[in-house]
Amino acid sequence: MASSSHIDLSGPTYCVLTGASQGIGRALAVEVSKLLGPKSLMLLLARNKTELAKTAELCTSSNVKVLYESIDLSRSTNSQMKDALSKSLEGWNIKDFATNVIFHNVGSLGNLSVETSKMGDVDELREYYDLNVFKVISLNTQFLKIFEEVEERVVIVNITSLCAIKPMGGMAYYCSGKAAREMYFKVLAEEKKHIRVLNYSPGPVETAMIDFVLAEAVNDNLKDVFTSFKNQGTLLKPEATAKKCMKVLLAGRFTPGEHVDYFDDE
Ligand SMILES: NC(=O)c1ccc[n+]([C@@H]2O[C@H](COP(=O)([O-])OP(=O)(O)OC[C@H]3O[C@@H](n4cnc5c(N)ncnc54)[C@H](OP(=O)(O)O)[C@@H]3O)[C@@H](O)[C@H]2O)c1
């Protein structure tokens, strides 16, 4: 597939989406489910089973069977990840899927109450990188292993952030984690030109993450920026950015691993 060609999700599609219990992940699940063709299968992952069930209920297309699994992605081993994927595929033949797509949407902000010059807790930092970088890579590796024989049908969407490419004071955990994660997907895209890889940056979106910044940040500028986003009503709705992500994805006009932002052509 050339990197500029459309991506077709209208055939039978297998879709995995992490962080699907709320926020952007929930909206992505709903939007992608509307696009998938008959005999499609979705697997939603996060810890909160009740909220995952709500997301699954919102995916109403009769084309798609929606499964969900409660999993702590910060602690899962390779084999637990492989099992979660394999279990969802029981009774399905992977060669019957025209497209296999994974959305790496899971994410957290890290410790916003420590100044960057005073970051000394390596265990905490390691825990942060486990969820946001290392385990994202593990899950992606397990996904690629399963679809190794039909790799040209694989599509990967990493939900990244402006913070991956632009420093934001007070967010060293988040910015460095997002940068590392995005670069991993860029390198993968460089090596595997036949796999479509998109780094989609959703813009500032009204989710629990924003409330966390307002509650936890010690950096005054960071607090001011997010307070003004909130007060001026400039935060995007999860649905709006999820729709845009699908538009970018389907159009396929991105180079391998390109960082595409919500605002790029707004
Ligand atoms: N909101 C923004 O303005 C914004 C801007 C740029 C980029 N992003 C990115 O967009 C993505 C989604 O963000 P959001 O704002 O929707 O955040 P959110 O509302 O906090 O959602 C985070 C999701 O990740 C899941 N999660 C967290 N820890 C997990 C764990 N240990 N194991 C499994 N799942 C876990 C949560 O589910 P459970 O708690 O149920 O596990 C939840 O579904 C993130 O990658 C974020 O960095 C957000």
Side-chain angles (χ1 to χ4, degrees), residues 105-142:
N105 166 72
V106 67
S108 65
L109 284 165
N111 189 344
L112 301 180
S113 63
V114 60
E115 287 173 47
T116 306
S117 60
K118 295 181 180 156
M119 275 168 56
D121 190 341
V122 174
D123 288 338
E124 184 184 72
L125 195 54
R126 194 173 284 127
E127 220 172 275
Y128 181 77
Y129 268 69
D130 269 338
L131 177 67
N132 290 280
V133 185
F134 305 148
K135 299 294 179 173
V136 171
I137 296 173
S138 303
L139 180 65
N140 196 59
T141 299
Q142 296 310 315

Short mmCIF file of all heavy atoms in Angstrom, two decimals, residues 105-142:
data_model
loop_
_atom_site.label_atom_id
_atom_site.label_comp_id
_atom_site.label_asym_id
_atom_site.label_seq_id
_atom_site.Cartn_x
_atom_site.Cartn_y
_atom_site.Cartn_z
N ASN A 105 -4.28 4.27 22.53
CA ASN A 105 -4.81 5.52 23.07
C ASN A 105 -4.52 5.68 24.56
O ASN A 105 -4.53 6.78 25.09
CB ASN A 105 -6.33 5.54 22.82
CG ASN A 105 -7.04 6.61 23.61
OD1 ASN A 105 -6.92 7.80 23.32
ND2 ASN A 105 -7.74 6.21 24.67
N VAL A 106 -4.22 4.55 25.24
CA VAL A 106 -4.00 4.62 26.68
C VAL A 106 -2.95 5.68 27.00
O VAL A 106 -1.98 5.87 26.25
CB VAL A 106 -3.57 3.24 27.24
CG1 VAL A 106 -2.21 2.82 26.74
CG2 VAL A 106 -3.61 3.22 28.76
N GLY A 107 -3.17 6.37 28.12
CA GLY A 107 -2.18 7.38 28.49
C GLY A 107 -2.46 7.96 29.85
O GLY A 107 -3.59 7.92 30.35
N SER A 108 -1.41 8.46 30.49
CA SER A 108 -1.57 9.16 31.77
C SER A 108 -0.58 10.32 31.80
O SER A 108 0.33 10.39 30.96
CB SER A 108 -1.34 8.19 32.94
OG SER A 108 0.01 7.74 32.93
N LEU A 109 -0.78 11.20 32.77
CA LEU A 109 0.00 12.45 32.78
C LEU A 109 1.29 12.37 33.58
O LEU A 109 2.19 13.17 33.39
CB LEU A 109 -0.87 13.58 33.34
CG LEU A 109 -1.92 14.10 32.36
CD1 LEU A 109 -2.96 14.92 33.11
CD2 LEU A 109 -1.28 14.92 31.26
N GLY A 110 1.33 11.43 34.52
CA GLY A 110 2.52 11.37 35.39
C GLY A 110 2.43 12.37 36.51
O GLY A 110 1.40 13.03 36.71
N ASN A 111 3.52 12.51 37.22
CA ASN A 111 3.56 13.37 38.40
C ASN A 111 3.71 14.84 37.96
O ASN A 111 4.75 15.23 37.45
CB ASN A 111 4.73 12.94 39.28
CG ASN A 111 4.71 13.64 40.61
OD1 ASN A 111 4.01 14.64 40.80
ND2 ASN A 111 5.46 13.11 41.57
N LEU A 112 2.66 15.62 38.20
CA LEU A 112 2.70 17.04 37.81
C LEU A 112 3.09 17.93 38.99
O LEU A 112 3.11 19.15 38.86
CB LEU A 112 1.33 17.48 37.28
CG LEU A 112 0.76 16.75 36.06
CD1 LEU A 112 -0.60 17.31 35.69
CD2 LEU A 112 1.72 16.85 34.88
N SER A 113 3.37 17.28 40.13
CA SER A 113 3.65 18.10 41.31
C SER A 113 5.15 18.17 41.62
O SER A 113 5.54 18.71 42.65
CB SER A 113 2.87 17.57 42.52
OG SER A 113 3.31 16.27 42.82
N VAL A 114 5.95 17.63 40.71
CA VAL A 114 7.39 17.72 40.95
C VAL A 114 8.03 18.59 39.85
O VAL A 114 7.68 18.48 38.67
CB VAL A 114 8.03 16.30 40.98
CG1 VAL A 114 7.85 15.55 39.69
CG2 VAL A 114 9.52 16.36 41.32
N GLU A 115 8.90 19.49 40.28
CA GLU A 115 9.59 20.32 39.29
C GLU A 115 10.58 19.46 38.52
O GLU A 115 11.18 18.54 39.08
CB GLU A 115 10.35 21.45 39.99
CG GLU A 115 9.43 22.55 40.52
CD GLU A 115 10.22 23.55 41.34
OE1 GLU A 115 11.29 23.98 40.86
OE2 GLU A 115 9.76 23.88 42.45
N THR A 116 10.77 19.78 37.26
CA THR A 116 11.63 18.96 36.40
C THR A 116 13.05 18.85 36.96
O THR A 116 13.67 17.79 36.92
CB THR A 116 11.64 19.54 34.97
OG1 THR A 116 10.26 19.66 34.56
CG2 THR A 116 12.38 18.66 34.00
N SER A 117 13.54 19.93 37.54
CA SER A 117 14.91 19.91 38.08
C SER A 117 15.03 19.08 39.34
O SER A 117 16.14 18.83 39.82
CB SER A 117 15.35 21.35 38.39
OG SER A 117 14.46 21.91 39.33
N LYS A 118 13.87 18.64 39.86
CA LYS A 118 13.91 17.87 41.13
C LYS A 118 13.37 16.46 40.96
O LYS A 118 12.97 15.82 41.93
CB LYS A 118 13.10 18.62 42.19
CG LYS A 118 13.73 19.96 42.54
CD LYS A 118 12.98 20.70 43.61
CE LYS A 118 13.68 22.02 43.88
NZ LYS A 118 12.81 23.03 44.43
N MET A 119 13.33 15.99 39.73
CA MET A 119 12.81 14.64 39.48
C MET A 119 13.82 13.60 39.94
O MET A 119 14.84 13.42 39.30
CB MET A 119 12.53 14.45 37.98
CG MET A 119 11.18 14.96 37.54
SD MET A 119 11.01 15.06 35.74
CE MET A 119 11.37 13.41 35.23
N GLY A 120 13.52 12.92 41.08
CA GLY A 120 14.49 11.97 41.60
C GLY A 120 13.93 10.57 41.80
O GLY A 120 14.68 9.64 42.10
N ASP A 121 12.64 10.43 41.65
CA ASP A 121 12.01 9.14 41.96
C ASP A 121 11.99 8.26 40.71
O ASP A 121 11.03 8.27 39.93
CB ASP A 121 10.59 9.38 42.49
CG ASP A 121 9.96 8.12 43.04
OD1 ASP A 121 10.45 7.02 42.71
OD2 ASP A 121 9.00 8.25 43.80
N VAL A 122 13.05 7.49 40.56
CA VAL A 122 13.20 6.68 39.35
C VAL A 122 12.14 5.57 39.29
O VAL A 122 11.67 5.22 38.20
CB VAL A 122 14.63 6.10 39.26
CG1 VAL A 122 14.77 5.15 38.09
CG2 VAL A 122 15.64 7.23 39.10
N ASP A 123 11.76 5.04 40.46
CA ASP A 123 10.73 3.99 40.45
C ASP A 123 9.42 4.53 39.89
O ASP A 123 8.74 3.88 39.10
CB ASP A 123 10.49 3.44 41.87
CG ASP A 123 11.68 2.59 42.32
OD1 ASP A 123 12.42 2.10 41.43
OD2 ASP A 123 11.87 2.44 43.53
N GLU A 124 9.08 5.74 40.34
CA GLU A 124 7.83 6.35 39.86
C GLU A 124 7.92 6.63 38.35
O GLU A 124 6.97 6.41 37.60
CB GLU A 124 7.58 7.65 40.62
CG GLU A 124 6.25 8.30 40.27
CD GLU A 124 6.08 9.64 40.97
OE1 GLU A 124 6.79 10.61 40.58
OE2 GLU A 124 5.27 9.72 41.89
N LEU A 125 9.08 7.09 37.94
CA LEU A 125 9.29 7.40 36.53
C LEU A 125 9.20 6.12 35.69
O LEU A 125 8.60 6.09 34.61
CB LEU A 125 10.69 8.03 36.37
CG LEU A 125 11.02 8.74 35.07
CD1 LEU A 125 9.99 9.81 34.72
CD2 LEU A 125 12.40 9.39 35.19
N ARG A 126 9.78 5.05 36.24
CA ARG A 126 9.75 3.75 35.54
C ARG A 126 8.31 3.27 35.39
O ARG A 126 7.91 2.77 34.34
CB ARG A 126 10.60 2.75 36.33
CG ARG A 126 10.92 1.50 35.54
CD ARG A 126 11.88 0.61 36.27
NE ARG A 126 13.25 1.05 36.26
CZ ARG A 126 14.03 1.21 37.32
NH1 ARG A 126 13.55 0.99 38.53
NH2 ARG A 126 15.28 1.60 37.20
N GLU A 127 7.54 3.45 36.46
CA GLU A 127 6.12 3.05 36.43
C GLU A 127 5.37 3.84 35.34
O GLU A 127 4.55 3.30 34.62
CB GLU A 127 5.50 3.37 37.79
CG GLU A 127 4.53 2.31 38.30
CD GLU A 127 4.13 2.63 39.73
OE1 GLU A 127 4.87 2.24 40.67
OE2 GLU A 127 3.11 3.30 39.89
N TYR A 128 5.71 5.11 35.27
CA TYR A 128 5.08 5.96 34.25
C TYR A 128 5.43 5.45 32.84
O TYR A 128 4.57 5.30 31.98
CB TYR A 128 5.52 7.42 34.41
CG TYR A 128 4.85 8.28 33.37
CD1 TYR A 128 3.52 8.65 33.51
CD2 TYR A 128 5.53 8.66 32.21
CE1 TYR A 128 2.87 9.36 32.53
CE2 TYR A 128 4.88 9.37 31.23
CZ TYR A 128 3.56 9.73 31.40
OH TYR A 128 2.91 10.43 30.42
N TYR A 129 6.71 5.19 32.65
CA TYR A 129 7.16 4.70 31.33
C TYR A 129 6.62 3.31 31.02
O TYR A 129 6.40 2.99 29.85
CB TYR A 129 8.70 4.72 31.26
CG TYR A 129 9.22 6.02 30.69
CD1 TYR A 129 9.10 7.20 31.40
CD2 TYR A 129 9.78 6.07 29.43
CE1 TYR A 129 9.56 8.40 30.88
CE2 TYR A 129 10.24 7.27 28.88
CZ TYR A 129 10.12 8.42 29.61
OH TYR A 129 10.55 9.60 29.07
N ASP A 130 6.39 2.51 32.06
CA ASP A 130 5.79 1.18 31.81
C ASP A 130 4.47 1.35 31.08
O ASP A 130 4.26 0.78 30.02
CB ASP A 130 5.54 0.44 33.14
CG ASP A 130 6.73 -0.41 33.53
OD1 ASP A 130 7.54 -0.76 32.65
OD2 ASP A 130 6.87 -0.72 34.73
N LEU A 131 3.57 2.12 31.65
CA LEU A 131 2.24 2.26 31.04
C LEU A 131 2.29 2.99 29.71
O LEU A 131 1.64 2.58 28.74
CB LEU A 131 1.30 3.02 32.00
CG LEU A 131 -0.11 3.29 31.42
CD1 LEU A 131 -0.88 1.99 31.24
CD2 LEU A 131 -0.90 4.25 32.31
N ASN A 132 3.06 4.06 29.67
CA ASN A 132 2.96 4.98 28.53
C ASN A 132 3.90 4.69 27.37
O ASN A 132 3.67 5.16 26.27
CB ASN A 132 3.17 6.42 29.03
CG ASN A 132 2.00 6.88 29.86
OD1 ASN A 132 0.98 7.27 29.29
ND2 ASN A 132 2.11 6.80 31.18
N VAL A 133 4.95 3.92 27.66
CA VAL A 133 5.92 3.63 26.59
C VAL A 133 6.16 2.11 26.47
O VAL A 133 5.81 1.51 25.46
CB VAL A 133 7.27 4.35 26.83
CG1 VAL A 133 8.21 4.11 25.65
CG2 VAL A 133 7.06 5.84 27.05
N PHE A 134 6.72 1.51 27.54
CA PHE A 134 7.19 0.12 27.41
C PHE A 134 6.05 -0.84 27.09
O PHE A 134 6.17 -1.70 26.21
CB PHE A 134 7.91 -0.34 28.69
CG PHE A 134 9.05 0.56 29.11
CD1 PHE A 134 9.37 0.74 30.45
CD2 PHE A 134 9.83 1.21 28.16
CE1 PHE A 134 10.42 1.56 30.84
CE2 PHE A 134 10.89 2.04 28.54
CZ PHE A 134 11.18 2.22 29.88
N LYS A 135 4.93 -0.69 27.80
CA LYS A 135 3.83 -1.65 27.60
C LYS A 135 3.06 -1.36 26.31
O LYS A 135 2.41 -2.24 25.76
CB LYS A 135 2.89 -1.66 28.81
CG LYS A 135 3.57 -2.08 30.10
CD LYS A 135 4.03 -3.54 30.08
CE LYS A 135 4.72 -3.93 31.37
NZ LYS A 135 5.02 -5.36 31.46
N VAL A 136 3.14 -0.15 25.85
CA VAL A 136 2.56 0.18 24.53
C VAL A 136 3.35 -0.57 23.47
O VAL A 136 2.77 -1.20 22.56
CB VAL A 136 2.59 1.71 24.28
CG1 VAL A 136 2.20 2.04 22.85
CG2 VAL A 136 1.67 2.43 25.26
N ILE A 137 4.67 -0.56 23.62
CA ILE A 137 5.53 -1.28 22.67
C ILE A 137 5.26 -2.78 22.77
O ILE A 137 5.13 -3.47 21.75
CB ILE A 137 7.02 -0.95 22.94
CG1 ILE A 137 7.29 0.54 22.70
CG2 ILE A 137 7.93 -1.82 22.08
CD1 ILE A 137 8.70 1.02 23.08
N SER A 138 5.12 -3.29 24.01
CA SER A 138 4.85 -4.74 24.18
C SER A 138 3.55 -5.14 23.49
O SER A 138 3.51 -6.14 22.78
CB SER A 138 4.66 -5.12 25.65
OG SER A 138 5.75 -4.76 26.40
N LEU A 139 2.51 -4.37 23.72
CA LEU A 139 1.21 -4.71 23.13
C LEU A 139 1.29 -4.65 21.60
O LEU A 139 0.78 -5.52 20.90
CB LEU A 139 0.12 -3.76 23.64
CG LEU A 139 -1.28 -4.02 23.08
CD1 LEU A 139 -1.81 -5.39 23.53
CD2 LEU A 139 -2.27 -2.93 23.48
N ASN A 140 1.98 -3.64 21.13
CA ASN A 140 2.12 -3.51 19.68
C ASN A 140 2.88 -4.70 19.09
O ASN A 140 2.52 -5.22 18.04
CB ASN A 140 2.83 -2.19 19.35
CG ASN A 140 2.65 -1.82 17.92
OD1 ASN A 140 1.53 -1.65 17.45
ND2 ASN A 140 3.73 -1.73 17.18
N THR A 141 3.90 -5.13 19.83
CA THR A 141 4.69 -6.28 19.37
C THR A 141 3.83 -7.55 19.32
O THR A 141 3.90 -8.32 18.36
CB THR A 141 5.91 -6.49 20.31
OG1 THR A 141 6.70 -5.31 20.25
CG2 THR A 141 6.75 -7.69 19.90
N GLN A 142 3.00 -7.74 20.36
CA GLN A 142 2.12 -8.92 20.37
C GLN A 142 1.13 -8.86 19.21
O GLN A 142 0.83 -9.86 18.57
CB GLN A 142 1.37 -9.03 21.71
CG GLN A 142 2.28 -9.25 22.91
CD GLN A 142 3.27 -10.38 22.71
OE1 GLN A 142 2.92 -11.46 22.21
NE2 GLN A 142 4.52 -10.15 23.05
#
